[in-house]
Amino acid sequence: MQRMNNMKGVNLFSAVLGLSLVCVAYAQAPVIVPMVSSETYQRVLEIIFPRNSLDFSDPTKEFALTLRFSPVSEAGSQINITKHSDGRLEVVTYTLPNRSQSISEQLNGILRQTGRENPEEMARRLNVQRRVVNDTRRIRRIQQLLERFAALCAPVQLDTLITLDGTSFQLWYEAASNKSYYSLVGGEPGHDRADHPLVRWMNEVRQAALR
């Protein structure tokens, strides 16, 4: 009887030990979360946020501006501005319906759902909203801000410091005799007091066009 009890004890110990090893092995197994590549991310941005390019066949167009905003924790947006020689402005905005997640987070969600990293397909799923700004008050405010633009960009000394929680600000300027590109990192409206003047200016344009 004692020998049988000993055998039962050994079997129980072995079972517990085996279960413990399984649990430890399971706990140590790495969890791989699919994430889109930087190349896919950049390609999707270029699809959903088409940059404003000057049509040199139209002599009435003075310059074209593209303002792109890429926050870390919420969806990005873009504003395209075309100025004509008669003072008229064309302002087009691009926003996402889901603004609570960054574009990279939304792309990672699509990748986990579909298992495919196709930039064109992912861009269609984001369902970007394009809107032409016609409100007179907003257009007038943007015209006032454009009067300050030249002074901000010539000369400009950009801060090359990188912050992990800042918003990426990108600006493309295109005219018949000049093409310029600026890339900065700064804060959201109300949190940009110490940022470069160009960041604060872009935030003002964003507030006039989008909010």
Side-chain angles (χ1 to χ4, degrees):
M1 179 67 68
Q2 184 175 0
R3 184 179 180 183
M4 291 181 63
N5 290 338
N6 289 340
M7 290 297 293
K8 290 180 180 179
V10 171
N11 292 337
L12 179 60
F13 174 77
S14 299
V16 172
L17 178 60
L19 181 61
S20 300
L21 290 174
V22 171
C23 292
V24 170
Y26 179 79
Q28 292 178 344
V31 178
I32 300 176
V33 179
M35 298 180 65
V36 298
S37 65
S38 59
E39 292 79 8
T40 297
Y41 173 74
Q42 292 298 332
R43 174 59 183 152
V44 171
L45 283 186
E46 292 303 315
I47 296 173
I48 65 174
F49 294 152
R51 275 187 269 158
N52 199 10
S53 182
L54 196 65
D55 181 7
F56 294 102
S57 65
D58 187 348
T60 67
K61 293 182 178 180
E62 287 189 359
F63 63 79
L65 271 175
T66 299
L67 284 67
R68 184 178 294 172
F69 308 87
S70 301
V72 173
S73 58
E74 61 183 57
S77 58
Q78 182 168 296
I79 304 168
N80 290 356
I81 303 173
T82 304
K83 185 178 184 297
H84 294 259
S85 56
D86 59 0
R88 181 169 50 91
L89 291 183
E90 294 177 12
V91 181
V92 180
T93 66
Y94 298 86
T95 57
L96 273 68
N98 181 7
R99 300 191 184 186
S100 61
Q101 284 186 311
S102 68
I103 293 176
S104 60
E105 289 175 332
Q106 295 185 48
L107 292 178
N108 289 334
I110 294 172
L111 177 60
R112 290 192 291 269
Q113 182 182 12
T114 65
R116 296 186 300 275
E117 190 170 348
N118 183 302
E120 287 73 20
E121 179 183 340
M122 288 177 159
R124 287 193 297 270
R125 284 177 171 267
L126 290 177
N127 192 27
V128 174
Q129 298 172 337
R130 179 184 184 276
R131 183 173 65 90
V132 178
V133 179
N134 293 315
D135 183 85
T136 305
R137 180 180 58 84
R138 292 179 181 273
I139 293 295
R140 187 180 302 116
R141 175 57 179 158
I142 294 172
Q143 286 174 328
Q144 294 172 349
L145 291 168
L146 287 175
E147 293 176 0
R148 292 164 39 199
F149 174 69
L152 290 172
C153 294
V156 62
Q157 294 180 349
L158 302 184
D159 186 359
T160 57
L161 295 177
I162 298 176
T163 59
L164 296 178
D165 58 350
T167 294
S168 168
F169 294 79
Q170 293 175 282
L171 184 148
W172 291 264
Y173 171 83
E174 184 175 343
S177 58
N178 181 26
K179 288 185 179 182
S180 303
Y181 169 69
Y182 304 94
S183 179
L184 306 94
V185 175
E188 290 291 292
H191 303 278
D192 58 356
R193 181 173 299 178
D195 291 330
H196 191 279
L198 187 56
V199 166
R200 299 199 300 271
W201 180 84
M202 289 180 66
N203 274 333
E204 288 187 79
V205 175
R206 177 164 50 158
Q207 288 181 305
L210 295 175
R211 301 182 181 182

